[in-house]
Amino acid sequence: MSPTLLRIAAIVALATAPACAAITIGRPFGIDLRREIKVGHDQKADVVRKMGEPYRKFVDSQGHEVFTYVWADGKGGGEKATIAFNKNNVVYLLEVVP
């Protein structure tokens, strides 16, 4: 193979390599959410202190704020946590999905 073709092959391989790499989102939660976040007790500030800022925040149709935390390792591992707060900023829903 000519040196020019080798250079082109190397450039193509380098350009497409990142597209094949696993994409990581977030980081493992670091705590057992089902034990550490207490429904009916913890407030929004407690959740942020324990978990950090959420991946996503939104307000549902009833006016409750909802936090979403996500991590994925790009190899099939990960979790998604949804935490909703009532009008007094107290956790009223905690859902963790692997």
Side-chain angles (χ1 to χ4, degrees):
M1 201 182 281
S2 73
T4 304
L5 286 176
L6 285 174
R7 284 189 203 119
I8 291 172
I11 290 169
V12 169
L14 288 173
T16 58
C20 299
I23 297 174
T24 301
I25 299 173
R27 59 182 169 70
F29 297 147
I31 63 172
D32 182 355
L33 292 175
R34 293 171 190 93
R35 240 187 264 170
E36 297 291 326
I37 306 293
K38 298 189 177 44
V39 175
H41 176 74
D42 281 334
Q43 296 189 1
K44 192 184 309 183
D46 299 322
V47 173
V48 172
R49 182 177 43 80
K50 293 175 183 180
M51 295 289 295
E53 288 297 319
Y55 175 75
R56 179 179 173 209
K57 294 181 188 180
F58 69 95
V59 177
D60 69 9
S61 61
Q62 297 175 342
H64 300 128
E65 190 164 16
V66 180
F67 286 4
T68 303
Y69 292 90
V70 177
W71 81 269
D73 63 8
K75 300 174 186 171
E79 286 184 300
K80 175 183 173 184
T82 304
I83 303 170
F85 303 92
N86 65 18
K87 63 180 180 171
N88 298 320
N89 290 326
V90 176
V91 174
Y92 83 89
L93 174 95
L94 170 64
E95 178 182 57
V96 181
V97 180

